[in-house]
Amino acid sequence: MNSAGLRFSRLIPLIICGAPLLAQGVSTQLAGRITAKGAGPLAKANVVVRNVETGHTRTVMTDENGRYFITALPVGPYTVSVTKQGFQTATNLKVTLNLGDAAPLNVAMIPAASAVVEVVASVAAVDSDRTTNAAFVSTELLTTMPNFNRSFTNLATLTPMVTIDTSRGGLAIAGQRGVSSSMNVDGGDNNEPFFGGSMNSNNAFQISMEAIREYQVITAGASAEFGRMGGGYLNAITKNGTNDLTGSLFYYKRPQSMVAKQPNLSGVAGSNNVGDFKQNQFGFSVGGPIVKDKLFYFVAYDGQRMNSPVNFVWGGNSPVALNSALTNDAVLISKIRNYDVPNDADTVFVRFDWNLTTDHTLQLHINQSKNKTMAYTGTTSAYENTVNDQYKTLSLVGQWNWTINANLLNEVRVNYGKDEMPRTTNSSIPEVSISNVGYYGANPYPREYQTTRKQVTEALSFVTPVLQIKAGIDYNKIGVAETFSSGYQGIYYFNNSGSGATAKTAFQNFQAGNWASYAQRFSLIPGLNGWDAGRFDVSEEQIAAYVQVDVRATDTLKLGLGIRMDRQTHPDFPIADFSNRLATTMPLTGKMPTDTQVSPRLSATWTPTFDKGNSVVRASIGRYVSTTPSVYEYQLYTVNGVRMANITFYNPTPGLGYGASFNAANPASLSSIPTGAAIPKTDIYSFDPNFKNPHTDQATVGLDRGFGHGLTIGLSGIYSRGHNLERLVDLNLGTPVANAQGRLIFPTTTVGGSTPLRPNANYGKMMMYTSDVDSIYHAYSLSMKYQEEGSPFFAQVNYTYAIDKDQDSNERNFSGFSTANPQRLSDEWGFSDKDRRHTLTAQLSYLETRFTGIQTGFVVRYLSGLPYSLVYSSDLNKDGNTGYDRVYADGKDTGRNSQRQGSTTTIDMKLSRDFNLVKKVKFQVSAEIFNLLNRHDTYSWVKAAGTDAATTYTRTPTWLGSARQVQLGARLTF
């Protein structure tokens, strides 16, 4: 065919670009209509689609309405040809399919007898075949935009309704807890079953950005194929080898001389020095054919060597004066040292793709990562109080696609994931915790840790141009092995004491050796030490089955109906039974309840004819079920009143020095529970027999409209209600009585004392995991995207207004609770810990071609402040839980999360220049500037002290963000 008259637009990712309904895993689809120009549809026309990179070819025939539909196409560039007897052949129609593309490709054919040699091919201005709300991150964005630390997930927060859960650092999507988000890589579940969130989210980068081809963040409307998330999910696909040899070699460095000082909030000279900061990243990738058009490979390596300085100060922003003539002060002086926190990482990725036949394809990827760093670092943590963390992951994902016939497709996927996180301490003496001053001694949180995931999925799809049905099963077997005996080496606590003339600060008490309490975790099993008693090794299952039906009801309306069943079983070990809360001994006769839930989902897309296909309305409603992390199971197994006990001792205690006899340099620990000691009662944990996994009911509606010339504008709204969210409740508390200011005070063992009076005197806290928390999230997003083919300018701007409320924002806290009064959940309703009222993000890039050839990329983020509560640092309501008692003003509770942190604004910039060497070989130099303006966004963190009758406030200056850094890079591609 003569291409002179061909008019065709490449598929352009939309503003809110999501997965097609039957290809949300590792592939995409191509659909459309073949017609005779100026006439009706052409039935039985042959449509041939060929992958330019691998040569893989698929062929379908149009139905009586001229429609065709091809699913399970790997992303990438394609050529399309259409043949029909009596018409000119359309050949070499070029399209590029990205993850989430589903806009129809329509072709108008010309009769063979026509003197005009022309075929008209067009892509709809908007995608009328998908219902999901999502954002697409392409290979181009990953390479042209500044990216702090080169983690591919960093750009996810530029998409609407995606923030960072501040308690654990995971992605919080569509207002749900970060633990309720999910990550898939090449269709395999890449989530951490123990802690929740993505596998090894603490790692510098588990998967090299060099290995990621593109990804999407689905915020709403996911089909029934996807579950185990109450919020949304990140769906990533990796790079594959092609018929051409391609690769890269790169090196990035952050010079210490280009790192700006952080703001000096403490007033201590030198406390904001940059120190020995270093960061170097380097690696390579290479891919190509093993057998042309048949077998391909791709390999990537990414390495990082990084040091971040910690300027240690006893007292932090309020330094204490030390006197070397005082014995205990001299101990603190001996431990003063600044130190560097390493963050060294290595990751290797290998992928093979095999086109066995036209109907059978195989894919296998192997990814291994290692990361060495430190935790519990900070300006008031002595070096010896830190821990050495090592993160190791192994991921294997294999997939077999079998095209049975033109209408049937079978997909089988096998996924194996292993996550190891051993942690060692830097001291052998008990930890010494001095309130408002700092810590030294052994950190109480060493561990041995390994989880494994074995996943098998099977899905069968029946597809026609107007009807698609997909049914599948998803089986996961989870293994967890952990040893974690927090505080088994012992912890001394020095706190403020007394009042008036007898008042002593925690530092003064340390100088005198007068500790307030000593805590240690012991084994209650004869012959088993405290460390070994914390060993935990179990397995559980996560099973799902689903059916998704999508039908094109009319030319302008497509409907989707899905239903999914999720079942989570727990290990079959006995747990404490709290049915009789006053029993002398809590019997180990309880069980963790198995959870089975059904999730219906309904979706629709409507393309109004009056707008000539330029706009599309999307709507969805459905339920999404999360899993329960197995970190809770560990607590039930070890802290059950029989296996382990965390016991707190008060002076006097045999074997522990006090006052002048306290040895600050080498404090004593207990090898066993001292004979004759008055032993406080142990805490104990259990599950509510009616515990349910969290689920989210979600409704969305959105409008996208294309305005031509690459401009698309979208408006969307979402309403989500979370149910059965997890929290902890202490059941062993008495009935509180209001004080003169209206605060409810729990009874104590002595009048005006500080130790709660336990109704069951045989135990301390009786902690139960319950699922009685609700949440409400509603948000409205306005998006604009400009991306015209051939234009040197790209822009994407997203603004989200959101309100996020709940009664408890617990993010997998397995041992404590944060409610002011655990018996009055209704008092806790307020803004969630992750509530951000306004979020504005922008990505802008421009390639100047006339003079310099420089590519400029900008990332702009504005985040309004997070909420927090105005609380006392002491336990005013006497529930045994310090730091969560809110201030009462004028006899009223000031309310949960009634205060606000400051907002943050950052601008990152990347400048890059490509130099063409030979053929396809390019050399790029780049400079990335993070926090370009070196903004120091600060606010005053307010805390209360004293009593309800006489409250004083402290304001601590707090800095949000990081100082300006510059990263220089060199990159060779071929």
Side-chain angles (χ1 to χ4, degrees):
M1 183 195 90
N2 187 333
S3 61
L6 176 63
R7 297 192 302 273
F8 179 72
S9 300
R10 296 183 65 186
L11 295 180
I12 300 175
L14 299 175
I15 291 173
I16 305 176
C17 185
L21 297 179
L22 282 181
Q24 288 183 301
V26 297
S27 54
T28 186
Q29 70 183 36
L30 185 65
R33 174 174 276 185
I34 310 300
T35 60
K37 186 177 182 181
L42 292 179
K44 296 186 178 180
N46 279 315
V47 180
V48 181
V49 178
R50 182 180 184 274
N51 188 301
V52 174
E53 294 179 342
T54 65
H56 188 61
T57 303
R58 296 274 297 278
T59 303
V60 297
M61 186 176 291
T62 59
D63 66 5
E64 63 275 10
N65 295 312
R67 294 189 177 278
Y68 69 95
F69 185 93
I70 309 175
T71 189
L73 292 172
V75 300
Y78 284 83
T79 59
V80 180
S81 63
V82 183
T83 58
K84 172 68 178 178
Q85 187 174 359
F87 290 84
Q88 297 179 17
T89 299
T91 62
N92 202 35
L93 304 178
K94 296 180 180 180
V95 298
T96 298
L97 297 181
N98 295 312
L99 192 62
D101 281 339
L105 168 63
N106 303 315
V107 181
M109 307 286 284
I110 303 296
S114 173
V116 178
V117 182
E118 180 184 35
V119 172
V120 179
S122 64
V123 178
V126 291
D127 176 0
S128 60
D129 276 355
R130 67 171 175 84
T131 57
T132 54
N133 286 354
F136 172 74
V137 179
S138 65
T139 304
E140 289 75 16
L141 290 180
L142 288 172
T143 55
T144 60
M145 293 298 167
N147 190 333
F148 195 76
N149 289 341
R150 299 188 70 253
S151 173
F152 78 91
T153 59
N154 282 347
L155 297 184
T157 56
L158 297 175
T159 62
M161 305 181 196
V162 179
T163 59
I164 296 295
D165 194 306
T166 55
S167 63
R168 296 285 181 173
L171 293 177
I173 302 176
Q176 306 309 299
R177 298 174 175 181
V179 73
S180 295
S181 300
S182 181
M183 180 188 289
N184 289 356
V185 178
D186 285 339
D189 191 311
N190 197 64
N191 297 295
E192 168 56 65
F194 188 79
F195 290 112
S198 62
M199 182 187 289
N200 205 341
S201 59
N202 293 324
N203 205 339
F205 38 78
Q206 181 208 348
I207 301 175
S208 170
M209 193 172 77
E210 208 70 14
I212 297 296
R213 180 164 189 155
E214 55 197 46
Y215 69 89
Q216 56 187 171
V217 183
I218 309 297
T219 57
S223 76
E225 180 181 356
F226 293 90
R228 296 193 295 276
M229 82 293 185
Y233 72 95
L234 188 150
N235 186 33
I237 57 172
T238 59
K239 293 179 181 177
N240 59 276
T242 70
N243 281 322
D244 295 325
L245 181 66
T246 60
S248 64
L249 183 67
F250 59 90
Y251 177 79
Y252 298 94
K253 178 180 179 62
R254 297 193 190 179
Q256 178 180 337
S257 60
M258 295 185 180
V259 178
K261 289 185 178 182
Q262 66 185 39
N264 190 341
L265 302 181
S266 68
V268 178
S271 64
N272 65 336
N273 287 340
V274 173
D276 189 22
F277 175 87
K278 296 177 182 177
Q279 180 166 331
N280 300 296
Q281 292 178 312
F282 45 86
F284 71 89
S285 69
V286 62
I290 299 175
V291 179
K292 186 177 182 181
D293 287 343
K294 286 292 184 180
L295 184 61
F296 310 90
Y297 73 93
F298 180 83
V299 179
Y301 164 78
D302 213 324
Q304 174 177 282
R305 300 296 180 264
M306 178 179 176
N307 279 334
S308 297
V310 172
N311 300 309
F312 175 77
V313 179
W314 287 116
N317 290 337
S318 301
V320 295
L322 299 174
N323 183 351
S324 60
L326 300 178
T327 301
N328 290 0
D329 281 23
V331 172
L332 297 186
I333 292 172
S334 70
K335 299 180 184 299
I336 294 176
R337 58 169 285 195
N338 294 338
Y339 53 91
D340 295 326
V341 179
N343 192 1
D344 298 340
D346 297 277
T347 180
V348 178
F349 175 86
V350 180
R351 172 169 162 170
F352 296 99
D353 292 83
W354 189 7
N355 299 329
L356 279 80
T357 67
T358 301
D359 299 328
H360 296 273
T361 62
L362 293 176
Q363 174 189 316
L364 171 66
H365 95 221
I366 305 168
N367 189 85
Q368 185 175 48
S369 68
K370 296 181 180 179
N371 186 203
K372 294 182 179 180
T373 185
M374 292 165 58
Y376 298 101
T377 61
T379 57
T380 59
S381 295
Y383 172 78
E384 67 179 40
N385 191 246
T386 65
V387 293
N388 303 307
D389 275 348
Q390 296 188 50
Y391 301 114
K392 303 176 183 179
T393 68
L394 176 64
S395 173
L396 296 90
V397 180
Q399 179 162 322
W400 167 41
N401 285 357
W402 175 22
T403 305
I404 302 172
N405 57 43
N407 302 111
L408 285 177
L409 172 71
N410 191 67
E411 300 168 84
V412 179
R413 186 178 300 116
V414 179
N415 174 34
Y416 174 80
K418 182 169 72 171
D419 196 353
E420 299 175 84
M421 291 189 282
R423 172 182 290 166
T424 58
T425 60
N426 290 312
S427 177
S428 59
I429 65 174
E431 180 182 76
V432 176
S433 170
I434 312 169
S435 180
N436 299 320
V437 175
Y439 309 84
Y440 71 91
N443 188 281
Y445 304 116
R447 70 175 173 220
E448 295 173 357
Y449 177 91
Q450 176 179 296
T451 63
T452 57
R453 179 186 295 274
K454 300 173 183 177
Q455 179 188 25
V456 178
T457 62
E458 158 73 22
L460 182 65
S461 300
F462 173 78
V463 299
T464 72
V466 296
L467 175 67
Q468 298 94 44
I469 303 174
K470 187 170 189 176
I473 58 173
D474 184 348
Y475 173 80
N476 284 254
K477 187 174 182 63
I478 308 298
V480 175
E482 183 187 44
T483 303
F484 183 72
S485 298
S486 59
Y488 84 101
Q489 292 170 286
I491 309 171
Y492 287 90
Y493 294 97
F494 291 87
N495 302 326
N496 300 335
S497 64
S499 60
T502 63
K504 298 290 184 183
T505 66
F507 178 56
Q508 289 171 328
N509 282 325
F510 170 77
Q511 289 177 312
N514 298 333
W515 44 268
S517 61
Y518 172 85
Q520 188 171 338
R521 184 163 290 198
F522 295 92
S523 169
L524 299 179
I525 301 175
L528 199 64
N529 62 38
W531 174 253
D532 291 336
R535 185 159 288 119
F536 177 67
D537 192 350
V538 298
S539 63
E540 67 174 38
E541 295 178 330
Q542 298 171 358
I543 306 169
Y546 65 89
V547 176
Q548 177 74 33
V549 179
D550 299 296
V551 59
R552 181 167 290 281
T554 69
D555 285 345
T556 61
L557 179 64
K558 188 167 186 176
L559 300 175
L561 176 63
I563 190 165
R564 178 184 176 93
M565 183 279 296
D566 281 285
R567 178 180 178 86
Q568 182 178 12
T569 65
H570 295 289
D572 190 27
F573 60 79
I575 66 174
D577 183 352
F578 283 0
S579 57
N580 180 3
R581 299 182 189 177
L582 299 179
T584 303
T585 302
M586 291 296 141
L588 297 182
T589 56
K591 296 287 184 181
M592 284 175 288
T594 293
D595 184 85
T596 303
Q597 296 191 46
V598 176
S599 308
R601 302 173 191 180
L602 178 66
S603 60
T605 60
W606 175 51
T607 308
T609 55
F610 63 80
D611 202 27
K612 300 179 181 180
N614 291 317
S615 61
V616 60
V617 178
R618 298 183 177 85
S620 67
I621 186 170
R623 174 166 291 185
Y624 301 87
V625 179
S626 301
T627 58
T628 296
S630 53
V631 63
Y632 307 125
E633 298 166 359
Y634 167 84
Q635 199 76 350
L636 300 178
Y637 179 77
T638 57
V639 190
N640 58 5
V642 174
R643 186 173 185 86
M644 297 179 66
N646 189 46
I647 299 178
T648 300
F649 299 91
Y650 303 91
N651 183 62
T653 299
L656 299 176
Y658 183 81
S661 63
F662 173 72
N663 187 345
N666 189 20
S669 62
L670 299 175
S671 58
S672 61
I673 300 173
T675 303
I679 304 174
K681 303 306 179 183
T682 181
D683 299 339
I684 188 172
Y685 287 74
S686 189
F687 247 54
D688 186 341
N690 299 313
F691 187 94
K692 296 287 186 181
N693 279 358
H695 69 263
T696 304
D697 293 326
Q698 184 185 86
T700 67
V701 63
L703 168 67
D704 289 342
R705 191 183 193 283
F707 291 88
H709 302 288
L711 176 63
T712 314
I713 294 178
L715 179 65
S716 65
I718 184 172
Y719 177 86
S720 297
R721 187 169 188 116
H723 302 273
N724 300 128
L725 300 175
E726 183 272 337
R727 71 167 179 136
L728 268 172
V729 181
D730 185 357
L731 302 182
N732 201 16
L733 289 170
T735 302
V737 177
N739 67 6
Q741 288 75 33
R743 182 188 302 278
L744 293 175
I745 308 296
F746 289 93
T748 56
T749 54
T750 59
V751 177
S754 59
T755 303
L757 178 64
R758 303 294 183 181
N760 188 332
N762 299 292
Y763 293 97
K765 295 177 182 177
M766 294 173 59
M767 304 290 280
M768 177 174 282
Y769 296 106
T770 66
S771 54
D772 57 356
V773 173
D774 295 325
S775 69
I776 291 179
Y777 174 82
H778 53 101
Y780 312 92
S781 290
L782 176 64
S783 301
M784 183 279 292
K785 184 173 184 177
Y786 172 79
Q787 185 178 20
E788 185 174 20
E789 186 174 9
S791 173
F793 181 69
F794 164 83
Q796 181 164 324
V797 181
N798 301 308
Y799 167 74
T800 300
Y801 174 86
I803 296 178
D804 190 355
K805 290 188 173 184
D806 60 20
Q807 297 125 329
D808 191 317
S809 300
N810 179 13
E811 173 74 4
R812 70 181 183 226
N813 189 331
F814 63 91
S815 62
F817 58 88
S818 58
T819 50
N821 183 345
Q823 295 180 355
R824 292 172 61 96
L825 186 60
S826 59
D827 291 350
E828 302 302 306
W829 183 256
F831 297 117
S832 90
D833 291 354
K834 56 188 181 327
D835 175 73
R836 287 197 189 273
R837 189 70 65 250
H838 306 280
T839 304
L840 176 66
T841 62
Q843 304 170 68
L844 310 168
S845 71
Y846 178 72
L847 176 60
E848 200 287 313
T849 57
R850 186 173 181 181
F851 299 106
T852 64
I854 293 177
Q855 175 95 43
T856 304
F858 284 96
V859 168
V860 181
R861 289 182 173 92
Y862 168 81
L863 305 174
S864 60
L866 291 168
Y868 70 94
S869 300
L870 182 57
V871 295
Y872 292 93
S873 57
S874 54
D875 181 16
L876 261 66
N877 71 347
K878 312 303 180 185
D879 64 353
N881 196 33
T882 300
Y884 296 101
D885 294 330
R886 295 189 292 269
V887 169
Y888 272 61
D890 299 324
K892 295 181 180 179
D893 186 347
T894 54
R896 174 171 169 261
N897 281 338
S898 59
Q899 309 294 303
R900 284 280 169 177
Q901 299 178 13
S903 63
T904 60
T905 302
T906 58
I907 300 176
D908 299 338
M909 182 176 72
K910 180 175 182 178
L911 301 172
S912 60
R913 173 69 158 86
D914 288 343
F915 297 91
N916 295 321
L917 301 182
V918 293
K919 294 184 178 180
K920 294 183 179 181
V921 181
K922 293 183 179 180
F923 180 72
Q924 181 187 88
V925 293
S926 63
E928 295 172 80
I929 308 174
F930 307 108
N931 193 3
L932 175 67
L933 304 180
N934 198 30
R935 283 181 60 100
H936 294 162
D937 292 319
T938 60
Y939 71 100
S940 293
W941 182 281
V942 183
K943 276 205 168 188
T947 65
D948 289 324
T951 304
T952 60
Y953 300 97
T954 59
R955 296 177 179 271
T956 304
T958 304
W959 173 42
L960 298 168
S962 60
R964 180 175 56 230
Q965 297 181 25
V966 177
Q967 178 168 278
L968 305 179
R971 181 182 182 87
L972 184 72
T973 59
F974 57 90

